[in-house]
Amino acid sequence: MNSQRQSMIKEKIKECLREKFRVHEPETNYMPFHYRLLGKDRMALYSFIHSINTKFGISFYEPVAIALAKDRFKIVDTQVKPGNKISFDAHLQIQSIMNGLSTAEREPNKSLEIQEIKEVCTSGKLEHIKLTNVDVWLETNEDELFLIDFKTVKPNKSDFQKFKRTLLEWSAAELARNPNGVVNAIIGIPYNPYEPEPYQRWTLKGMFDLEHDILIAEELWDFIGGEGTYANLLDAFEQAGIELRDEIDEYFRQFS
């Protein structure tokens, strides 16, 4: 990432934080013991951090990802509605895949799963389906699609089946629109909370093809923005925080 691009990303981060300050409303629950022990300003900071943690994807990751990807992809967008139709046979095939993964009768294999769906993507009646929006939609000059679903760094194991089904249904819906298309539906995990130890991928094993369904930390950001992006992105966040320190202090001073 050259200095001009890093400066642009830093300004995007600052813009995102200022917008968060503008719209954030601290929790109004009356907590007299907490206030007296910690102070209203610290409780306001806690509320703000909690809000950021729960909505960091929409507030920061997605707009930053879009800014990074614009130089590398033909089409870049966020919160995109995917196709809304899946063939009847593709629906059955997805259920068969999910059943096999859930009972460990089959191993996750993204290329095989997509091939199985592709073979039936227009077979049978096309049925309407309501799918979640794609967090980050990327399309290359060769019309290859990358549909990224940003997730928390420690996803709940109980949600894994839902996440996997989403990836398969996104793929089926886009293949129903373009049977000859190349579709890559991916879970994006923005950083590794276990650093410096490797990400505990074993928690995802059994439901996901770990080499092709998941991009984590450096893998994710370097894919979106090019080699070295992750390290530069961390620097950009740090610089943005330094430059906004007075504004941050001023924002929380109102709660003193």
Side-chain angles (χ1 to χ4, degrees), residues 54-222:
T54 56
K55 296 185 178 179
F56 214 99
I58 294 174
S59 299
F60 287 89
Y61 297 141
E62 291 175 26
V64 168
I66 294 303
L68 287 168
K70 284 182 177 177
D71 292 340
R72 287 171 50 81
F73 294 88
K74 179 178 70 175
I75 296 176
V76 177
D77 206 350
T78 184
Q79 291 302 312
V80 178
K81 291 186 180 296
N84 63 354
K85 292 182 180 180
I86 291 179
S87 78
F88 179 78
D89 288 351
H91 176 78
L92 293 179
Q93 185 59 47
I94 289 171
Q95 189 58 52
S96 175
I97 292 170
M98 293 302 302
N99 290 344
L101 294 174
S102 299
T103 58
E105 293 178 359
R106 64 182 290 165
E107 293 287 327
N109 184 322
K110 189 181 187 76
S111 61
L112 176 60
E113 292 159 8
I114 295 302
Q115 183 57 40
E116 290 173 348
I117 293 172
K118 199 167 191 175
E119 289 174 357
V120 294
C121 64
T122 58
S123 177
K125 180 182 177 182
L126 287 180
E127 301 181 326
H128 283 272
I129 186 170
K130 186 176 182 180
L131 300 176
T132 58
N133 287 354
V134 177
D135 290 335
V136 174
W137 176 293
L138 307 174
E139 187 172 339
T140 69
N141 289 324
E142 293 75 33
D143 299 324
E144 184 173 359
L145 288 179
F146 292 90
L147 314 179
I148 302 178
D149 191 10
F150 273 93
K151 293 301 180 188
T152 178
V153 296
K154 293 183 178 180
N156 293 323
K157 194 169 184 179
S158 60
D159 291 331
F160 286 178
Q161 288 192 29
K162 181 174 68 175
F163 297 163
K164 178 68 175 189
R165 184 181 293 275
T166 293
L167 299 186
L168 296 174
E169 289 179 341
W170 280 355
S171 300
E174 291 309 312
L175 288 170
R177 290 204 285 196
N178 179 13
N180 296 316
V182 180
V183 183
N184 305 277
I186 300 165
I187 295 291
I189 298 178
Y191 65 91
N192 174 15
Y194 309 106
E195 193 76 29
E197 298 299 320
Y199 190 87
Q200 296 180 9
R201 291 173 183 260
W202 59 267
T203 62
L204 307 169
K205 191 175 182 181
M207 190 58 59
F208 297 100
D209 181 335
L210 300 183
E211 296 300 316
H212 303 102
D213 276 335
I214 313 283
L215 290 176
I216 299 170
E218 188 172 0
E219 299 170 338
L220 173 66
W221 294 108
D222 285 8

Side-chain angles (χ1 to χ4, degrees), residues 47-59:
S47 172
F48 184 79
I49 291 172
H50 178 70
S51 176
I52 280 184
N53 283 342
T54 56
K55 296 185 178 179
F56 214 99
I58 294 174
S59 299

